[in-house]
Amino acid sequence: EPEVTQTPSHQVTQMGQEVILRCVPISNHLYFYWYRQILGQKVEFLVSFYNNEISEKSEIFDDQFSVERPDGSNFTLKIRSTKLEDSAMYFCASGGDRGRVSGELFFGEGSRLTVL
Amino acid sequence: DAKTTQPNSMESNEEEPVHLPCNHSTISGTDYIHWYRQLPSQGPEYVIHGLTSNVNNRMASLAIAEDRKSSTLILHRATLRDAAVYYCILRGRIYGGSQGNLIFGKGTKLSVKP
């Protein structure tokens, strides 16, 4: 069964460092997302991406964050200068086959980011 | 996004049916009702979704009230593996660049006792 894969599974970084989280969405999907979940809290929407551009973003997704789909298969989330409060599990998701509306999203297993 | 209301937690016995309720009194005509679940230490997982009619799949059934202001996720025989947080989410129709993003609430934490 096709799945969304994320790397790394866990990254530890120093405050102020740049981090790139990588995702390989399911190949025929058209919509891509990043969510995050701080330990013990709810899953929060960060950004959605369609047709090679950001469709929507939340208040959390400020200038420190950026997304890219550099090669048609990977979908990356970059945090330019990490802060302690960026420590969280980051989930990538994809969905939306051609011709299907309001279908399900498929989530990856997540990348745990720890900022020291 | 329209809001949903779910109980914070529920308990079930293994191999018994579970009915997880969700209220969504402000649902709009184009909102789909989605259910996801999150097992411990995993990403959210799609369970089922529907618009007006009841829906069944291999994981669960979704019963939607006639006025669409509430719905119930039914797990026919709970197993220990069904212990998770279950999220009821309203999602708009996807067309072009409008995706009706999934906005997660706190969900219902389901515990399953052996």
Side-chain angles (χ1 to χ4, degrees):
Chain A
E1 190 173 313
E3 58 180 17
V4 175
T5 56
Q6 291 186 239
T7 55
S9 56
H10 188 194
Q11 180 155 358
V12 181
T13 190
Q14 295 291 324
M15 193 168 56
Q17 295 296 303
E18 176 183 283
V19 161
I20 297 176
L21 305 178
R22 291 182 167 79
C23 169
V24 179
I26 294 173
S27 63
N28 59 338
H29 283 176
L30 303 175
Y31 300 90
F32 312 106
Y33 309 78
W34 283 101
Y35 287 79
R36 79 171 187 191
Q37 186 173 32
I38 296 170
L39 188 64
Q41 297 188 25
K42 63 182 183 180
V43 178
E44 298 175 292
F45 168 73
L46 291 179
V47 66
S48 57
F49 193 86
Y50 169 76
N51 201 25
N52 286 318
E53 60 183 22
I54 290 174
S55 304
E56 294 182 49
K57 58 184 181 179
S58 70
E59 291 178 354
I60 303 167
F61 194 87
D62 61 22
D63 291 344
Q64 293 297 313
F65 291 89
S66 61
V67 289
E68 214 177 25
R69 189 158 157 80
D71 55 13
S73 61
N74 291 288
F75 180 51
T76 62
L77 174 70
K78 183 193 291 186
I79 309 174
R80 254 179 279 281
S81 177
T82 50
K83 302 186 282 264
L84 295 176
E85 53 264 38
D86 293 328
S87 294
M89 184 73 91
Y90 289 80
F91 295 108
C92 174
S94 70
D97 295 342
R98 289 189 192 281
R100 292 184 64 188
V101 294
S102 298
E104 61 266 37
L105 291 193
F106 294 81
F107 285 79
E109 291 295 305
S111 293
R112 178 169 298 285
L113 176 64
T114 301
V115 182
L116 302 176
Chain B
D1 294 295
K3 290 181 67 175
T4 63
T5 305
Q6 299 178 253
N8 290 332
S9 61
M10 288 184 65
E11 270 192 0
S12 171
N13 294 316
E14 197 176 11
E15 299 193 3
E16 289 185 358
V18 182
H19 291 234
L20 296 162
C22 181
N23 288 318
H24 28 79
S25 58
T26 59
I27 190 170
S28 76
T30 54
D31 284 334
Y32 285 75
I33 302 159
H34 283 247
W35 284 82
Y36 282 74
R37 72 180 185 181
Q38 188 175 21
L39 278 64
S41 302
Q42 294 192 26
E45 176 187 29
Y46 168 81
V47 177
I48 201 166
H49 78 282
L51 184 62
T52 55
S53 303
N54 295 344
V55 184
N56 299 297
N57 66 19
R58 63 177 177 81
M59 287 182 73
S61 296
L62 176 60
I64 301 173
E66 205 168 317
D67 64 4
R68 299 210 327 127
K69 293 186 177 182
S70 65
S71 60
T72 302
L73 179 71
I74 303 164
L75 307 179
H76 295 286
R77 281 179 74 238
T79 67
L80 296 178
R81 196 193 171 275
D82 291 322
V85 179
Y86 286 79
Y87 301 98
C88 170
I89 304 170
L90 301 183
R91 188 177 187 213
R93 177 184 173 90
I94 299 173
Y95 56 94
S98 174
Q99 301 169 63
N101 299 320
L102 289 178
I103 304 298
F104 288 81
K106 293 184 179 178
T108 297
K109 184 173 183 179
L110 176 66
S111 304
V112 180
K113 295 185 289 185

